Amino acid sequence: GEADMKKNRKKGVVIICTLSAFFAIWSCSNDDYLIDGGTSSPYFEGTMWEYLNTEPQHERYFSKLVDVIEYAEMEDLFKKEDVTFFAPTSQTINKSMKYLSDYNYNYYGGEEVTDIRQVKKEVWKDFLSLYIVEGKYELKDLPQLDTLAITAYPGQAYRSYNGRPMNIGVDYASANGVKYAGYRMLIYSYINNWGSSVEDRDMINAKVATCNLQPYNGIVHVIRFIDHDFGFDKRLFMQKALEKEIDPVPPVEDEKSEAVANLSFTSKTE
């Protein structure tokens, strides 16, 4: 009946943008980010933080991201605030970390960077904030973007959590020769240079693989990892990390020795 059709249409937003992204990357990789085929309900019974920590997606895509959020002391935001999060997967963080590590080792004779704690908290916080926009934005709420007709369809600038304007737009593909009648892909862009006009704008685009995931607070759109590096430009991430200096690998915390230290501390204060 009509109620079923409406329900399917609502689901269809998730299905279309997921399948479109899936087909777009099929030739490169069939292990891109898809949640159980992407056709299940977009609603998640829990907070955004709980969603990122739920299996199977936590282990497959978000474990390193969760570590970074915790280290940057930003988990409260993902537990409580209504935000739109363009989630970068662990794979993107690993790529930028490897680039930083290789550069530090090969050009500076520094040590390899293998632990996220070797990069200063403020660097992680700054870059992570680029992926967060205040308020809730589903695909249907966002303006059209056509990279080949940018003056007519430029998308729109939205302020990220660290105050930097980012561009968001939905790319409408053609279907059967009909312009803009095909699948829709959400694109989140870092603006390198605004330029004197829209045509001159220099942007680094991140394409969304799965969109409109809806936990209790906010909306999650997951960025396709095969053509994205954490920080939008791994060179930028590397420069900022090196500017703030790389820390040595923290010692492995031994629970036993920590317990002993606590005991000796107690005995001194008595």
Side-chain angles (χ1 to χ4, degrees), residues 46-81:
T47 64
M48 194 179 288
W49 181 245
E50 286 166 333
Y51 171 74
L52 296 173
N53 280 284
T54 299
E55 299 306 346
Q57 64 263 23
H58 171 262
E59 176 139 350
R60 286 186 195 161
Y61 304 107
F62 299 136
S63 57
K64 186 66 68 78
L65 174 64
V66 162
D67 290 345
V68 167
I69 292 169
E70 283 184 327
Y71 181 59
E73 297 173 0
M74 291 176 77
E75 62 264 51
D76 263 12
L77 186 148
F78 294 92
K79 287 175 183 172
K80 297 172 185 168
E81 295 194 34

Side-chain angles (χ1 to χ4, degrees), residues 35-185:
I35 301 163
D36 300 329
T39 55
S40 55
S41 167
Y43 301 103
F44 177 76
E45 304 291 318
T47 64
M48 194 179 288
W49 181 245
E50 286 166 333
Y51 171 74
L52 296 173
N53 280 284
T54 299
E55 299 306 346
Q57 64 263 23
H58 171 262
E59 176 139 350
R60 286 186 195 161
Y61 304 107
F62 299 136
S63 57
K64 186 66 68 78
L65 174 64
V66 162
D67 290 345
V68 167
I69 292 169
E70 283 184 327
Y71 181 59
E73 297 173 0
M74 291 176 77
E75 62 264 51
D76 263 12
L77 186 148
F78 294 92
K79 287 175 183 172
K80 297 172 185 168
E81 295 194 34
D82 271 343
V83 294
T84 301
F85 183 39
F86 289 85
T89 63
S90 300
Q91 290 86 344
T92 71
I93 294 169
N94 290 337
K95 284 192 283 181
S96 290
M97 282 277 287
K98 184 176 184 331
Y99 185 80
L100 165 64
S101 181
D102 291 350
Y103 198 93
N104 192 46
Y105 184 78
N106 293 324
Y107 292 94
Y108 286 100
E111 63 180 321
E112 292 181 332
V113 185
T114 54
D115 190 304
I116 61 166
R117 293 169 297 176
Q118 289 176 265
V119 176
K120 296 284 193 295
K121 276 185 193 195
E122 64 193 278
V123 174
W124 287 118
K125 193 168 186 172
D126 206 31
F127 278 102
L128 203 51
S129 297
L130 289 175
Y131 293 90
I132 304 163
V133 175
E134 285 188 57
K136 295 166 83 160
Y137 297 100
E138 290 180 61
L139 187 82
K140 66 178 174 57
D141 304 321
L142 297 161
Q144 186 175 351
L145 169 74
D146 184 344
T147 51
L148 302 175
I150 197 106
T151 311
Y153 299 108
Q156 191 178 322
Y158 293 80
R159 198 169 289 284
S160 70
Y161 213 76
N162 71 356
R164 189 184 177 93
M166 306 288 284
N167 203 74
I168 309 178
V170 182
D171 185 42
Y172 292 47
S174 299
N176 305 321
V178 181
K179 204 172 184 185
Y180 304 142
Y183 67 76
R184 297 174 182 190
M185 179 178 277

